Amino acid sequence: MNSYGQMMVKKSVRDTLRLDQVDLATLDPAGRPIGPRTKKEAADDLAVTGDELEALQEALYAEDSRAVLLVLQGMDTSGKGGVVRHVMGLVNPQGVRIASFKKPTAAELRHHYLWRIRKVLPDKGHIGAFDRSHYEDVLVPKVERLINAAELRKRYKEINAFEQELADSGITLVKCFLHISPEVQKERLLARLGDPKKNWKYNPADIDVRSKWSKYQDAYTQALRNCRDTPWYAVPADRKWYRNWAISRLLLETLREMNPAFPQPAFDLEAEKARLVNDDPLR
Amino acid sequence: MNSYGQMMVKKSVRDTLRLDQVDLATLDPAGRPIGPRTKKEAADDLAVTGDELEALQEALYAEDSRAVLLVLQGMDTSGKGGVVRHVMGLVNPQGVRIASFKKPTAAELRHHYLWRIRKVLPDKGHIGAFDRSHYEDVLVPKVERLINAAELRKRYKEINAFEQELADSGITLVKCFLHISPEVQKERLLARLGDPKKNWKYNPADIDVRSKWSKYQDAYTQALRNCRDTPWYAVPADRKWYRNWAISRLLLETLREMNPAFPQPAFDLEAEKARLVNDDPLR
């Protein structure tokens, strides 16, 4: 407990942010329901969390039997990429696997929607992060009425089963809904338009999606309600520093609970030391 | 030119470390042929380099048409993993692809040795790093006499052709030989045996490989001499801080030369701003 932020946290971040009843309208995207009150406190805490995360990650990697998968969902500009950069950037890239899911390609559409997801699941020992995920396949098709209600229900069921399968295979999911307000989204889209180095992140179709804000909130609500055999965390995302802090702590609490252990050597340590000390390959 | 280390560098690191005549015996693994003289200078310089690398990486990612691939080869403990952590860790994990190649599996051995390499080449816009690579397939088989001289020559040719194919497809290779002394390797292996958190990195077979030090140096010499249509850089690796500094600079010089550019928007900026300002999805 080395920093103010960490001392403040009595209740866990997971318990605080876990979505039990999914009612997005009651959640404040600018809220700070637990933890640091200021950007400075959050930054200090993030550095400490980073050190512990990296140590836990190394043990997870050495153990080589389980994995973590951070699932990031949220409206455009909610900060999925920012979390990858600032939270996943805290740990050793050797043990990290990032995948992002854009609009499905023609090849992807010829397969089951979980096909492209399964291809990039994190290997054992790794921490994966999905920038968007299989949830896109119950959001866009619902809003755009590409599938009917029965197919949607089928997908919710499939997703619950898929996530249970991941758990059974040793992959712990940390599912985060990055919750922003339409006002903050407008600011961030304008920032993308105003900076030549950010123009590439902007897509005119983003406004088409934005214009269906309520429909997307409804699609999220249904998806989150129907697919929470594995819990969802709602992360207030209007403040970037709070969002990054919260997700770093969700990962930390998850890894602490997993408690990965460095494996015992399968060889005789003293015998190996003796071999090495007596060895001189150039003699 | 913000730091002492960068001010010192007149000649490029690439020109200094490029292997023209491959004579490993004349290269000092503890050398500092260019750049910082102390760990402190190197650390200051690495931070500045990291900022510039991250900016160039973002442009490379936005441009989405070319890629970089760092190939790391060297004896056990030469620091391939350390480079991944400390150099690749400088940039945004979203644009990074790490692959490590262990002893080929039975499935891999049923394919051409380049099969497993091709599967994990970096996508456009990314910086990849290979911890070991296709060069293992001209090192181990030569030392262990698993293939004959004609097959070895064939592989050298294939590797040159493969690397040319990568260049033609927009992947710029940065091939680094991490050069350590057997004395430093002994220290590092003993450190792995002495620390319970490092035991997992130790493999008794490492000493079998170490006992063939001269044969491996010879195999490296032949591989580096015969496969340098795409240049090799010899990185003195007895000092970890120098090794990390040097490779960060090799990457930086490479990316500066590639000079990636943020793409011009394919839409009307002002029209999009107007759409956005007039838009209120909740109205």
Side-chain angles (χ1 to χ4, degrees):
Chain A
M1 301 298 120
N2 294 319
S3 78
Y4 182 51
Q6 294 203 323
M7 284 197 306
M8 289 178 63
V9 177
K10 301 273 195 280
K11 202 177 160 190
S12 80
V13 179
R14 287 192 298 177
D15 286 343
T16 307
L17 300 184
R18 185 179 296 117
L19 272 175
D20 292 316
Q21 294 170 20
V22 182
D23 186 359
L24 299 184
T26 66
L27 293 171
D28 179 5
R32 287 162 296 181
I34 186 172
R37 307 299 297 171
T38 68
K39 192 171 176 176
K40 171 74 172 66
E41 283 170 33
D44 292 348
D45 202 45
L46 196 66
V48 177
T49 295
D51 290 342
E52 190 178 343
L53 268 182
E54 194 167 28
L56 286 162
Q57 179 208 23
E58 188 167 17
L60 185 78
Y61 190 86
E63 192 190 69
D64 196 22
S65 66
R66 296 178 291 172
V68 174
L69 175 55
L70 181 67
V71 172
L72 301 170
Q73 281 290 158
M75 299 293 283
D76 288 320
T77 78
S78 61
K80 302 176 291 291
V83 169
V84 168
R85 180 176 175 188
H86 295 288
V87 180
M88 299 304 283
L90 294 170
V91 299
N92 187 341
Q94 188 167 39
V96 162
R97 290 291 178 269
I98 311 290
S100 60
F101 299 95
K102 299 191 168 62
K103 192 175 165 181
T105 62
E108 286 168 348
L109 285 172
R110 281 195 295 273
H111 292 84
H112 190 276
Y113 65 93
L114 291 175
W115 176 76
R116 64 175 185 164
I117 307 291
R118 290 184 186 276
K119 285 203 301 181
V120 290
L121 290 168
D123 292 331
K124 297 210 179 279
H126 288 73
I127 303 177
F130 280 1
D131 176 346
R132 305 186 188 270
S133 68
H134 43 293
Y135 283 95
E136 291 297 310
D137 298 290
V138 287
L139 295 169
V140 181
K142 175 166 167 34
V143 171
E144 301 297 338
R145 298 176 176 278
L146 304 176
I147 59 178
N148 63 27
E151 171 66 16
L152 192 62
R153 280 195 302 275
K154 178 165 171 280
R155 289 192 180 188
Y156 293 147
K157 273 194 173 175
E158 284 173 336
I159 287 175
N160 277 319
F162 170 62
E163 292 180 353
Q164 182 59 48
E165 176 196 324
L166 296 187
D168 293 344
S169 69
I171 300 177
T172 299
L173 287 176
V174 181
K175 291 156 55 181
C176 298
F177 171 63
L178 278 51
H179 188 37
I180 56 163
S181 63
E183 294 76 21
V184 165
Q185 188 191 56
K186 181 184 279 193
E187 284 170 23
R188 292 184 186 169
L189 288 173
L190 283 171
R192 289 182 179 180
L193 288 169
D195 180 348
K197 291 190 175 181
K198 289 184 176 173
N199 289 171
W200 67 279
K201 295 186 180 184
Y202 181 89
N203 182 337
D206 294 348
I207 299 195
D208 304 329
V209 173
R210 175 177 165 79
S211 70
K212 297 168 188 164
W213 190 276
S214 301
K215 286 183 179 168
Y216 270 98
Q217 297 296 303
D218 180 50
Y220 267 110
T221 299
Q222 295 306 320
L224 273 48
R225 276 188 189 155
N226 284 287
C227 302
R228 56 190 166 117
D229 291 358
T230 305
W232 271 101
Y233 302 102
V235 178
D238 272 3
R239 291 183 170 91
K240 293 177 181 179
W241 60 262
Y242 190 82
R243 171 200 77 203
N244 292 341
W245 174 86
I247 295 180
S248 75
R249 297 287 305 202
L250 291 172
L251 272 181
L252 181 63
E253 289 176 8
T254 301
L255 276 158
R256 279 181 180 165
E257 186 178 83
M258 291 172 75
N259 194 24
F262 288 97
Q264 290 298 312
F267 49 82
D268 180 336
L269 276 173
E270 295 310 317
E272 291 298 320
K273 281 182 200 168
R275 271 180 84 197
L276 193 51
V277 168
N278 296 323
D279 172 69
D280 181 351
L282 297 184
R283 193 167 46 197
Chain B
M1 300 296 119
N2 294 319
S3 77
Y4 182 50
Q6 294 204 322
M7 284 198 306
M8 289 178 62
V9 177
K10 301 274 195 279
K11 202 177 161 189
S12 80
V13 178
R14 287 192 298 177
D15 287 343
T16 306
L17 300 185
R18 185 178 296 117
L19 272 174
D20 292 316
Q21 294 170 20
V22 182
D23 186 359
L24 299 184
T26 65
L27 293 172
D28 179 6
R32 288 162 295 180
I34 186 171
R37 306 300 296 170
T38 68
K39 192 172 175 175
K40 171 72 173 67
E41 283 171 32
D44 292 348
D45 202 45
L46 197 66
V48 177
T49 295
D51 290 342
E52 190 178 343
L53 268 182
E54 195 167 28
L56 285 162
Q57 179 208 22
E58 188 167 18
L60 185 77
Y61 190 85
E63 191 191 69
D64 196 22
S65 66
R66 295 177 290 172
V68 174
L69 176 55
L70 181 67
V71 172
L72 300 170
Q73 282 288 159
M75 299 294 283
D76 288 320
T77 77
S78 61
K80 301 176 292 290
V83 169
V84 168
R85 179 175 175 189
H86 296 288
V87 179
M88 299 304 283
L90 293 171
V91 299
N92 187 339
Q94 188 167 41
V96 161
R97 289 293 177 269
I98 311 291
S100 60
F101 299 95
K102 299 191 168 62
K103 192 175 164 180
T105 63
E108 286 169 347
L109 285 172
R110 282 195 295 273
H111 293 84
H112 190 276
Y113 64 92
L114 291 174
W115 176 76
R116 64 175 185 164
I117 306 291
R118 290 183 186 277
K119 285 203 300 181
V120 289
L121 291 168
D123 292 332
K124 298 211 179 277
H126 288 72
I127 304 178
F130 280 1
D131 176 345
R132 304 187 188 270
S133 68
H134 44 293
Y135 283 95
E136 291 296 310
D137 297 290
V138 287
L139 295 169
V140 180
K142 175 168 165 37
V143 170
E144 302 296 339
R145 298 176 175 278
L146 305 176
I147 58 177
N148 63 27
E151 171 66 16
L152 192 63
R153 280 194 303 275
K154 178 165 170 281
R155 290 192 179 188
Y156 293 148
K157 272 194 173 177
E158 284 173 336
I159 287 175
N160 277 319
F162 170 62
E163 292 180 354
Q164 182 59 48
E165 176 195 324
L166 296 187
D168 294 345
S169 70
I171 301 177
T172 299
L173 287 176
V174 181
K175 291 156 55 183
C176 297
F177 171 63
L178 277 51
H179 188 38
I180 56 163
S181 63
E183 294 76 20
V184 165
Q185 188 191 53
K186 180 184 278 192
E187 284 170 24
R188 292 182 186 171
L189 287 173
L190 283 171
R192 288 182 180 180
L193 288 169
D195 181 348
K197 292 191 174 178
K198 289 184 176 174
N199 290 170
W200 66 280
K201 294 187 180 184
Y202 181 88
N203 182 337
D206 294 347
I207 299 196
D208 303 329
V209 173
R210 174 177 165 79
S211 70
K212 297 167 189 165
W213 190 275
S214 300
K215 285 183 180 167
Y216 270 97
Q217 297 297 303
D218 180 51
Y220 266 111
T221 299
Q222 295 306 321
L224 273 49
R225 276 189 188 153
N226 284 287
C227 302
R228 56 189 164 117
D229 291 358
T230 305
W232 272 101
Y233 302 101
V235 178
D238 272 3
R239 291 183 170 89
K240 294 176 180 179
W241 58 263
Y242 189 80
R243 171 201 76 202
N244 292 341
W245 174 85
I247 295 180
S248 75
R249 296 287 305 201
L250 292 171
L251 272 181
L252 181 63
E253 290 176 8
T254 301
L255 276 158
R256 280 181 179 164
E257 187 178 82
M258 290 171 75
N259 195 24
F262 287 97
Q264 290 297 313
F267 49 82
D268 180 335
L269 276 173
E270 295 310 316
E272 291 299 320
K273 281 182 201 168
R275 272 179 83 197
L276 193 50
V277 168
N278 295 325
D279 172 69
D280 182 351
L282 299 185
R283 194 169 43 199

